[in-house]
């Protein structure tokens, strides 16, 4: 075999290896686990900006939303999951489906723009959900709340987007301590988790939401800094989330970095590695 033929054969084998690797990774990501970086503070303190986790796609079964969207804006690639798995869309059902449970922290596709969101499931099909003076009511009953001190963080830019935290003790200068009221919320069924409060605002006082069949109601744990089911899709919220839009359940944080890049090892949060999500 000539040197030219050997070089050509080597290139072909390399291409095959890359293609096979991409196919295996695609199947793994579609069927089992999807990586997810936390980009915003809407789920503090349960999830912090810079937490990295794998979403368990086997928890709820599969729908068109289980297929990953392929987006590389820099080179003009934008392939939505519906273009890949659109044959599964439209009937609000799932393959090998199982129902999510109240209190689950789940990733889902926004019903309109297709972006991936992560929030806590608080309302099941048929539930009546309302916020009164910052307290969550489910089917006419307030959830149990227990004061749990304050959540503190440094007033500084967070994550790759460089967002600044909102503070209950505002105004807060750069480098000072930003505080939020902290409570333990207990949902029907016994799930306990931390919720944070910053101020009194419109989403603390809502109408009664009647969750339709086949849909779910999600909220962020950082209650005053979350765009969720309390706001309609036309106002920047997510509204009711269809069953088929669920992607999977978040069970465990694998890695966490407080810096602008995961390469800044001095910003790694070692105490959050492999931490279970409650």
């Amino acid at each position: 075999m000539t040197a030219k033929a050997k070089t050509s054969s080597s290139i072909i084998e390399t291409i095959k290896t890359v293609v096979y690797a991409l196919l295996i990774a695609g199947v793994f990501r579609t069927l089992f686990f999807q990586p997810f970086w936390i980009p915003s503070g809407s789920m503090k303190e349960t999830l912090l900006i810079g937490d990295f986790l794998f979403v368990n796609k086997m928890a709820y079964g599969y729908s068109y939303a289980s297929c990953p969207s392929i987006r590389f804006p820099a080179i003009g690639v934008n392939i939505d999951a519906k273009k890949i798995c659109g044959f599964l869309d439209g009937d609000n059902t799932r393959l090998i489906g199982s129902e999510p449970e109240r209190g689950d922290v789940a990733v889902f596709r926004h019903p309109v723009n297709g972006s991936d969101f992560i929030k806590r499931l608080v309302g099941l099909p048929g539930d009546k959900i309302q916020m009164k003076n910052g307290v969550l009511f489910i089917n006419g009953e307030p959830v149990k709340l227990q004061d749990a001190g304050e959540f503190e963080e440094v007033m500084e830019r967070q994550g790759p987007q460089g967002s600044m935290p909102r503070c209950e003790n505002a105004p807060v200068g750069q480098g000072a301590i930003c505080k939020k009221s902290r409570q333990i919320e207990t949902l029907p069924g016994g799930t306990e988790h931390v919720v944070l409060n910053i101020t009194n605002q419109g989403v603390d006082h809502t109408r009664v939401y009647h969750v339709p069949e086949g849909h779910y109601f999600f909220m962020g744990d950082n209650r005053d800094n979350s765009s969720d089911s309390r706001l309609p899709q036309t106002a920047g919220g997510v509204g009711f989330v269809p069953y088929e839009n669920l992607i999977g359940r978040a069970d465990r944080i694998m890695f966490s970095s407080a810096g602008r890049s995961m390469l800044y090892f001095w910003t790694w949060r070692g105490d959050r590695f492999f931490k279970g999500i409650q």
Side-chain angles (χ1 to χ4, degrees):
M1 182 180 292
T2 66
K4 184 176 181 179
K6 288 182 178 179
T7 300
S8 177
S9 176
S10 177
I11 292 173
I12 291 173
E13 289 303 314
T14 299
I15 293 174
K16 285 182 179 180
T17 300
V18 171
V19 170
Y20 291 152
L22 290 174
L23 287 174
I24 292 171
V27 170
F28 182 86
R29 187 169 186 240
T30 298
L31 296 181
F32 303 111
F33 298 96
Q34 175 177 319
F36 193 88
W37 281 98
I38 303 301
S40 75
S42 68
M43 283 294 293
K44 291 177 181 177
E45 66 179 56
T46 304
L47 297 172
L48 303 180
I49 295 175
D51 283 349
F52 175 78
L53 50 88
F54 283 103
V55 179
N56 180 2
K57 290 191 170 184
M58 297 176 285
Y60 306 138
Y62 305 96
S63 70
Y64 86 92
S66 302
C67 285
S69 296
I70 303 174
R71 295 190 173 98
F72 297 101
I75 59 176
V77 175
N78 186 8
I79 304 175
D80 191 82
K82 285 188 177 182
K83 294 181 180 179
I84 303 173
C85 295
F87 64 94
L88 296 173
D89 184 28
D91 56 5
N92 203 25
T93 59
R94 307 181 70 86
L95 299 174
I96 323 177
S98 59
E99 298 291 333
E101 296 182 3
R102 194 192 311 276
D104 284 358
V105 175
V107 173
F108 57 89
R109 282 176 58 86
H110 190 285
V112 175
N113 63 35
S115 300
D116 291 349
F117 276 58
I118 185 165
K119 306 288 181 184
R120 188 177 300 276
L121 194 160
V122 300
L124 300 172
D127 280 347
K128 298 177 181 178
I129 305 294
Q130 186 177 19
M131 292 293 292
K132 295 182 181 180
N133 298 316
V135 178
L136 173 63
F137 281 68
I138 300 177
N139 297 322
E141 296 294 328
V143 298
K144 179 183 175 182
L145 287 172
Q146 180 182 348
D147 289 336
E150 294 178 323
F151 172 78
E152 297 184 351
E153 57 187 337
V154 177
M155 171 57 78
E156 61 185 1
R157 296 195 177 278
Q158 300 178 345
Q161 298 178 358
S163 58
M164 299 292 282
R166 294 179 62 202
C167 313
E168 187 175 17
N169 59 325
V172 175
Q174 185 83 9
I177 298 299
C178 172
K179 299 180 180 181
K180 300 173 178 62
S181 294
R182 184 177 184 271
Q183 294 176 301
I184 305 297
E185 181 178 84
T186 304
L187 298 175
T191 299
E192 293 185 351
H193 56 274
V194 172
V195 294
L196 303 180
N197 291 284
I198 304 169
T199 186
N200 185 5
Q201 56 189 38
V203 289
D204 291 324
H205 316 273
T206 72
R207 63 179 177 85
V208 176
Y209 301 96
H210 297 259
V211 185
E213 289 301 316
H215 291 73
Y216 298 90
F217 196 97
F218 286 89
M219 292 175 62
D221 290 348
N222 191 3
R223 289 288 161 81
D224 295 325
N225 196 46
S226 175
S227 296
D228 48 42
S229 293
R230 291 172 292 177
L231 290 175
Q233 297 153 10
T234 54
V238 300
F240 302 121
V241 178
Y243 181 43
E244 66 179 352
N245 282 48
L246 302 182
I247 294 175
R249 187 181 64 222
D251 294 326
R252 188 171 298 275
I253 300 165
M254 305 303 294
F255 171 83
S256 184
S257 172
R260 302 294 295 273
S261 169
M262 66 175 291
L263 300 179
Y264 298 168
F265 64 87
W266 58 90
T267 67
W268 292 356
R269 305 182 184 107
D271 61 329
R272 297 184 67 80
F273 288 15
F274 309 110
K275 181 179 180 181
I277 298 173
Q278 296 182 336

